[in-house]
Amino acid sequence: MDYKKTLLAPVKIGNRVCQNRFFAQPMECVDSDDEGNPTDLTYARYENLYKGEFGLVDLEAITVTNESRARKTQLEIMPRNEKALTKFMKRLKEVNPKVLIVFQLTHSGEISEPEFSRRVTVKPLYGFEGDLLTEEEVDKIIEQFVLSSKIAQNVGADGIDLKFCHGYLGSQILRPYNDRKWKYGGAWENRSRFAYDLIERIQRAVNDKNFLLGSKLSIWEGFPGGCGSAGPDSPLMDITESIDLVRGLEERGAAYFVESLGNVHCSMAYMEAIQDEPYLSYLHFYFSNIIKQNVKPETVVIGSHFSSFRGKKNKLLSIEPEKSSMFAMGARCIEDGMMDMIGLGRQSFADPLTPLKLREGREDEIKYCTQCMNCEELMIRQKPVGCVLYNKPYTELFREVRKTLGKLAELHT
Ligand SMILES: Cc1cc2nc3c(=O)[nH]c(=O)nc-3n(C[C@H](O)[C@H](O)[C@H](O)COP(=O)(O)O)c2cc1C
């Protein structure tokens, strides 16, 4: 199979063109300065992705407000950040003008860390607390998203990704569990209002056909009442609303979707398949395919979970290794029409030059992610994140963290 041809073929996204089928997943790295601006560590990470020739880069979850956020040193996109982000984008375009970039706009809601910010919720999950958001506060959050989209446009981003995945505020409002009787809860018409108002208002504010709008969504959050379940406390999967969301966003101008599943608190294995369960990746392909079948042919669907496949030496059962390598599997998924691009998350840490090395015929030099999850541990511990296995400063940081703080209890509990 000529996977190189498939993966290096350009693809149209909205009115723009991605130079190839590689998508760098948004990966939070907790390395901003105190005002949420990029630091040298942030520059180094993104410069590498640009050198690595990803067709489309999704800038990690960047918060529209520093009042409620998940990480102490999380990137921020408020008026005070505009100058620093302009400089950052100028540098990236100098490194490689062909790469497209969208910013993943987020509000952490109930995942906000009370130690340094305000935890807010639309309806507290069992075991969770937080200030109950009022309608006026959600209206204000919509305004913050709109303002951040304008800033993204001003600083030179090619578009935005509305984060409706993994249990952050976007998912919290959408999920059936949000059965509170208010403007943004109860009937689907109310729960989807936030997403639909948001995209419509952003569309009007940016007023630019070339500015990409899209969303990374958890089609199924994997717990009773989560997105993609049959009712507020139902354990049954029913993705009717998730499909409706995809169609509704598409009707309102979304040009692409990034498939995801799970929730950071309770169903993380769906969000990031681990070493012992790489087979969960196939579940993601199933859902990408469903999204693909429910959108217009020109809408770009981006699949996730290719870090499980590695090179030709993976240990996945049942099919010949050369058919289940990351590249062979990615090309197969595109050729079979399940998706248009392949998302690399942890693999983009392990080797940000992956697409470049494929193009130059240097596949043997690619370093593959082993799903050790040490990057995730750094993030949970609010430390700067990178590949602990192959990137020495992060190896040393991780060693230091373990020495001073001890072992972290199970990540996937
Ligand atoms: C350290 C770390 C940070 C992440 N940050 C984000 C993020 O900012 N936004 C997001 O949507 N997903 C985030 N994810 C999830 C990844 O984007 C991706 O969906 C997941 O890791 C599965 O892809 P992979 O198997 O290629 O790693 C993060 C994952 C990790 C391990």
PDB file of all heavy atoms in Angstrom, residues 1 5 20 44 53-54 72 97 129 170 178 214 238 241 251 264 269 273 329 364 368 386 389:
ATOM      1  N   MET A   1       0.848  -1.204   0.000  1.00  0.00           N
ATOM      2  CA  MET A   1       0.000   0.000   0.000  1.00  0.00           C
ATOM      3  C   MET A   1       0.886   1.259   0.000  1.00  0.00           C
ATOM      4  O   MET A   1       1.857   1.337   0.749  1.00  0.00           O
ATOM      5  CB  MET A   1      -0.869  -0.001   1.269  1.00  0.00           C
ATOM      6  CG  MET A   1      -1.927   1.080   1.276  1.00  0.00           C
ATOM      7  SD  MET A   1      -2.513   1.429   2.942  1.00  0.00           S
ATOM      8  CE  MET A   1      -3.170  -0.163   3.439  1.00  0.00           C
ATOM      9  N   LYS A   5       1.762   8.249  -0.398  1.00  0.00           N
ATOM     10  CA  LYS A   5       0.989   9.041  -1.358  1.00  0.00           C
ATOM     11  C   LYS A   5      -0.299   9.571  -0.705  1.00  0.00           C
ATOM     12  O   LYS A   5      -0.659  10.744  -0.841  1.00  0.00           O
ATOM     13  CB  LYS A   5       0.643   8.143  -2.556  1.00  0.00           C
ATOM     14  CG  LYS A   5       0.295   8.894  -3.782  1.00  0.00           C
ATOM     15  CD  LYS A   5       0.298   7.982  -4.991  1.00  0.00           C
ATOM     16  CE  LYS A   5      -0.676   8.542  -5.996  1.00  0.00           C
ATOM     17  NZ  LYS A   5      -1.334   7.525  -6.760  1.00  0.00           N
ATOM     18  N   ASN A  20      -0.841  18.407   3.741  1.00  0.00           N
ATOM     19  CA  ASN A  20      -0.879  16.946   3.839  1.00  0.00           C
ATOM     20  C   ASN A  20      -1.955  16.545   4.856  1.00  0.00           C
ATOM     21  O   ASN A  20      -2.718  17.403   5.323  1.00  0.00           O
ATOM     22  CB  ASN A  20       0.499  16.373   4.229  1.00  0.00           C
ATOM     23  CG  ASN A  20       0.977  16.929   5.565  1.00  0.00           C
ATOM     24  OD1 ASN A  20       0.223  17.043   6.526  1.00  0.00           O
ATOM     25  ND2 ASN A  20       2.249  17.305   5.629  1.00  0.00           N
ATOM     26  N   ALA A  44       9.535  26.630  21.367  1.00  0.00           N
ATOM     27  CA  ALA A  44      10.295  25.459  20.882  1.00  0.00           C
ATOM     28  C   ALA A  44       9.345  24.357  20.419  1.00  0.00           C
ATOM     29  O   ALA A  44       9.540  23.751  19.358  1.00  0.00           O
ATOM     30  CB  ALA A  44      11.206  24.944  21.987  1.00  0.00           C
ATOM     31  N   GLU A  53       6.370  19.932   9.472  1.00  0.00           N
ATOM     32  CA  GLU A  53       5.461  19.975   8.311  1.00  0.00           C
ATOM     33  C   GLU A  53       4.090  19.342   8.535  1.00  0.00           C
ATOM     34  O   GLU A  53       3.563  18.656   7.653  1.00  0.00           O
ATOM     35  CB  GLU A  53       6.131  19.348   7.071  1.00  0.00           C
ATOM     36  CG  GLU A  53       7.404  20.051   6.660  1.00  0.00           C
ATOM     37  CD  GLU A  53       8.035  19.492   5.379  1.00  0.00           C
ATOM     38  OE1 GLU A  53       7.567  18.449   4.884  1.00  0.00           O
ATOM     39  OE2 GLU A  53       8.991  20.113   4.888  1.00  0.00           O
ATOM     40  N   PHE A  54       3.527  19.555   9.712  1.00  0.00           N
ATOM     41  CA  PHE A  54       2.131  19.124   9.891  1.00  0.00           C
ATOM     42  C   PHE A  54       1.248  19.973   8.978  1.00  0.00           C
ATOM     43  O   PHE A  54       1.475  21.185   8.835  1.00  0.00           O
ATOM     44  CB  PHE A  54       1.699  19.313  11.347  1.00  0.00           C
ATOM     45  CG  PHE A  54       2.094  18.167  12.228  1.00  0.00           C
ATOM     46  CD1 PHE A  54       3.363  18.096  12.792  1.00  0.00           C
ATOM     47  CD2 PHE A  54       1.202  17.128  12.463  1.00  0.00           C
ATOM     48  CE1 PHE A  54       3.732  17.019  13.591  1.00  0.00           C
ATOM     49  CE2 PHE A  54       1.563  16.049  13.250  1.00  0.00           C
ATOM     50  CZ  PHE A  54       2.833  16.000  13.816  1.00  0.00           C
ATOM     51  N   LYS A  72      -2.307  26.121  35.959  1.00  0.00           N
ATOM     52  CA  LYS A  72      -1.817  27.382  36.499  1.00  0.00           C
ATOM     53  C   LYS A  72      -1.127  28.191  35.409  1.00  0.00           C
ATOM     54  O   LYS A  72      -1.332  29.391  35.283  1.00  0.00           O
ATOM     55  CB  LYS A  72      -0.838  27.095  37.635  1.00  0.00           C
ATOM     56  CG  LYS A  72      -0.560  28.283  38.473  1.00  0.00           C
ATOM     57  CD  LYS A  72       0.029  27.903  39.792  1.00  0.00           C
ATOM     58  CE  LYS A  72       0.126  29.157  40.653  1.00  0.00           C
ATOM     59  NZ  LYS A  72       0.795  28.913  41.900  1.00  0.00           N
ATOM     60  N   PRO A  97       5.717  28.835   6.365  1.00  0.00           N
ATOM     61  CA  PRO A  97       4.467  29.541   6.027  1.00  0.00           C
ATOM     62  C   PRO A  97       3.360  28.632   5.519  1.00  0.00           C
ATOM     63  O   PRO A  97       2.211  29.055   5.422  1.00  0.00           O
ATOM     64  CB  PRO A  97       4.915  30.521   4.923  1.00  0.00           C
ATOM     65  CG  PRO A  97       6.214  30.000   4.404  1.00  0.00           C
ATOM     66  CD  PRO A  97       6.836  29.154   5.470  1.00  0.00           C
ATOM     67  N   GLU A 129     -17.733  19.871  43.102  1.00  0.00           N
ATOM     68  CA  GLU A 129     -18.396  21.092  43.545  1.00  0.00           C
ATOM     69  C   GLU A 129     -18.102  22.203  42.573  1.00  0.00           C
ATOM     70  O   GLU A 129     -17.403  21.991  41.586  1.00  0.00           O
ATOM     71  CB  GLU A 129     -17.897  21.440  44.936  1.00  0.00           C
ATOM     72  CG  GLU A 129     -18.265  20.329  45.911  1.00  0.00           C
ATOM     73  CD  GLU A 129     -18.017  20.697  47.336  1.00  0.00           C
ATOM     74  OE1 GLU A 129     -17.308  21.683  47.562  1.00  0.00           O
ATOM     75  OE2 GLU A 129     -18.536  19.974  48.190  1.00  0.00           O
ATOM     76  N   GLY A 170     -17.796  23.319  27.389  1.00  0.00           N
ATOM     77  CA  GLY A 170     -18.614  23.024  26.209  1.00  0.00           C
ATOM     78  C   GLY A 170     -19.364  21.705  26.368  1.00  0.00           C
ATOM     79  O   GLY A 170     -20.582  21.633  26.144  1.00  0.00           O
ATOM     80  N   ASN A 178     -27.104  17.782  32.188  1.00  0.00           N
ATOM     81  CA  ASN A 178     -27.459  19.191  32.430  1.00  0.00           C
ATOM     82  C   ASN A 178     -28.973  19.361  32.248  1.00  0.00           C
ATOM     83  O   ASN A 178     -29.433  19.992  31.310  1.00  0.00           O
ATOM     84  CB  ASN A 178     -26.659  20.078  31.466  1.00  0.00           C
ATOM     85  CG  ASN A 178     -27.135  21.529  31.455  1.00  0.00           C
ATOM     86  OD1 ASN A 178     -27.763  22.009  32.413  1.00  0.00           O
ATOM     87  ND2 ASN A 178     -26.853  22.222  30.354  1.00  0.00           N
ATOM     88  N   GLY A 214     -14.323  25.167  13.532  1.00  0.00           N
ATOM     89  CA  GLY A 214     -14.495  23.725  13.690  1.00  0.00           C
ATOM     90  C   GLY A 214     -14.544  23.369  15.161  1.00  0.00           C
ATOM     91  O   GLY A 214     -14.529  24.254  16.027  1.00  0.00           O
ATOM     92  N   ASP A 238     -26.364   6.769  23.303  1.00  0.00           N
ATOM     93  CA  ASP A 238     -27.275   7.189  22.232  1.00  0.00           C
ATOM     94  C   ASP A 238     -26.674   8.476  21.652  1.00  0.00           C
ATOM     95  O   ASP A 238     -26.716   9.535  22.292  1.00  0.00           O
ATOM     96  CB  ASP A 238     -28.676   7.459  22.805  1.00  0.00           C
ATOM     97  CG  ASP A 238     -29.637   7.965  21.721  1.00  0.00           C
ATOM     98  OD1 ASP A 238     -29.155   8.321  20.624  1.00  0.00           O
ATOM     99  OD2 ASP A 238     -30.857   8.030  21.983  1.00  0.00           O
ATOM    100  N   GLU A 241     -27.893  13.035  19.655  1.00  0.00           N
ATOM    101  CA  GLU A 241     -27.630  14.467  19.879  1.00  0.00           C
ATOM    102  C   GLU A 241     -26.249  14.865  19.372  1.00  0.00           C
ATOM    103  O   GLU A 241     -26.075  15.969  18.845  1.00  0.00           O
ATOM    104  CB  GLU A 241     -27.752  14.791  21.375  1.00  0.00           C
ATOM    105  CG  GLU A 241     -29.192  14.724  21.861  1.00  0.00           C
ATOM    106  CD  GLU A 241     -29.343  15.003  23.356  1.00  0.00           C
ATOM    107  OE1 GLU A 241     -28.328  15.135  24.071  1.00  0.00           O
ATOM    108  OE2 GLU A 241     -30.489  15.077  23.821  1.00  0.00           O
ATOM    109  N   GLU A 251     -23.976  23.269   9.544  1.00  0.00           N
ATOM    110  CA  GLU A 251     -24.917  24.225   8.915  1.00  0.00           C
ATOM    111  C   GLU A 251     -24.536  25.664   9.206  1.00  0.00           C
ATOM    112  O   GLU A 251     -24.779  26.568   8.419  1.00  0.00           O
ATOM    113  CB  GLU A 251     -26.319  24.030   9.508  1.00  0.00           C
ATOM    114  CG  GLU A 251     -27.204  23.081   8.758  1.00  0.00           C
ATOM    115  CD  GLU A 251     -28.432  22.731   9.612  1.00  0.00           C
ATOM    116  OE1 GLU A 251     -28.895  23.596  10.389  1.00  0.00           O
ATOM    117  OE2 GLU A 251     -28.889  21.579   9.500  1.00  0.00           O
ATOM    118  N   VAL A 264     -12.195  13.747  31.139  1.00  0.00           N
ATOM    119  CA  VAL A 264     -10.937  13.730  31.861  1.00  0.00           C
ATOM    120  C   VAL A 264     -11.057  13.158  33.285  1.00  0.00           C
ATOM    121  O   VAL A 264     -10.109  12.623  33.832  1.00  0.00           O
ATOM    122  CB  VAL A 264     -10.339  15.167  31.822  1.00  0.00           C
ATOM    123  CG1 VAL A 264     -11.044  16.091  32.767  1.00  0.00           C
ATOM    124  CG2 VAL A 264      -8.867  15.180  32.041  1.00  0.00           C
ATOM    125  N   ALA A 269      -9.538   6.670  29.704  1.00  0.00           N
ATOM    126  CA  ALA A 269      -8.978   5.691  28.765  1.00  0.00           C
ATOM    127  C   ALA A 269      -9.584   5.873  27.377  1.00  0.00           C
ATOM    128  O   ALA A 269      -8.945   5.588  26.375  1.00  0.00           O
ATOM    129  CB  ALA A 269      -9.214   4.279  29.263  1.00  0.00           C
ATOM    130  N   ALA A 273      -6.050   6.336  24.747  1.00  0.00           N
ATOM    131  CA  ALA A 273      -5.853   4.889  24.867  1.00  0.00           C
ATOM    132  C   ALA A 273      -4.458   4.630  25.450  1.00  0.00           C
ATOM    133  O   ALA A 273      -3.493   5.277  25.059  1.00  0.00           O
ATOM    134  CB  ALA A 273      -5.977   4.242  23.499  1.00  0.00           C
ATOM    135  N   MET A 329      -2.095   2.282   8.851  1.00  0.00           N
ATOM    136  CA  MET A 329      -3.445   2.365   9.405  1.00  0.00           C
ATOM    137  C   MET A 329      -4.087   3.717   9.071  1.00  0.00           C
ATOM    138  O   MET A 329      -5.263   3.790   8.707  1.00  0.00           O
ATOM    139  CB  MET A 329      -3.379   2.157  10.929  1.00  0.00           C
ATOM    140  CG  MET A 329      -4.707   2.036  11.594  1.00  0.00           C
ATOM    141  SD  MET A 329      -5.747   0.706  10.928  1.00  0.00           S
ATOM    142  CE  MET A 329      -4.983  -0.736  11.641  1.00  0.00           C
ATOM    143  N   ASP A 364      12.924   5.394   9.116  1.00  0.00           N
ATOM    144  CA  ASP A 364      13.692   4.634  10.119  1.00  0.00           C
ATOM    145  C   ASP A 364      14.130   5.507  11.286  1.00  0.00           C
ATOM    146  O   ASP A 364      14.452   5.010  12.359  1.00  0.00           O
ATOM    147  CB  ASP A 364      14.952   4.027   9.475  1.00  0.00           C
ATOM    148  CG  ASP A 364      14.579   2.963   8.465  1.00  0.00           C
ATOM    149  OD1 ASP A 364      13.393   2.587   8.447  1.00  0.00           O
ATOM    150  OD2 ASP A 364      15.472   2.536   7.701  1.00  0.00           O
ATOM    151  N   TYR A 368       8.944   6.646  18.069  1.00  0.00           N
ATOM    152  CA  TYR A 368       7.515   6.406  18.293  1.00  0.00           C
ATOM    153  C   TYR A 368       7.122   6.482  19.768  1.00  0.00           C
ATOM    154  O   TYR A 368       7.868   6.023  20.650  1.00  0.00           O
ATOM    155  CB  TYR A 368       7.117   5.040  17.730  1.00  0.00           C
ATOM    156  CG  TYR A 368       7.089   5.054  16.219  1.00  0.00           C
ATOM    157  CD1 TYR A 368       8.142   4.523  15.477  1.00  0.00           C
ATOM    158  CD2 TYR A 368       6.019   5.639  15.521  1.00  0.00           C
ATOM    159  CE1 TYR A 368       8.134   4.559  14.087  1.00  0.00           C
ATOM    160  CE2 TYR A 368       6.003   5.686  14.142  1.00  0.00           C
ATOM    161  CZ  TYR A 368       7.064   5.141  13.424  1.00  0.00           C
ATOM    162  OH  TYR A 368       7.049   5.189  12.060  1.00  0.00           O
ATOM    163  N   GLY A 386       6.249  17.582  28.051  1.00  0.00           N
ATOM    164  CA  GLY A 386       6.927  17.192  26.812  1.00  0.00           C
ATOM    165  C   GLY A 386       7.169  15.700  26.873  1.00  0.00           C
ATOM    166  O   GLY A 386       6.741  15.031  27.820  1.00  0.00           O
ATOM    167  N   LEU A 389      10.340  10.382  27.392  1.00  0.00           N
ATOM    168  CA  LEU A 389      11.214   9.318  26.895  1.00  0.00           C
ATOM    169  C   LEU A 389      12.332   9.847  25.996  1.00  0.00           C
ATOM    170  O   LEU A 389      13.483   9.427  26.114  1.00  0.00           O
ATOM    171  CB  LEU A 389      10.365   8.291  26.126  1.00  0.00           C
ATOM    172  CG  LEU A 389      11.067   7.021  25.656  1.00  0.00           C
ATOM    173  CD1 LEU A 389      11.663   6.253  26.829  1.00  0.00           C
ATOM    174  CD2 LEU A 389      10.090   6.124  24.899  1.00  0.00           C
TER     175      LEU A 389
END
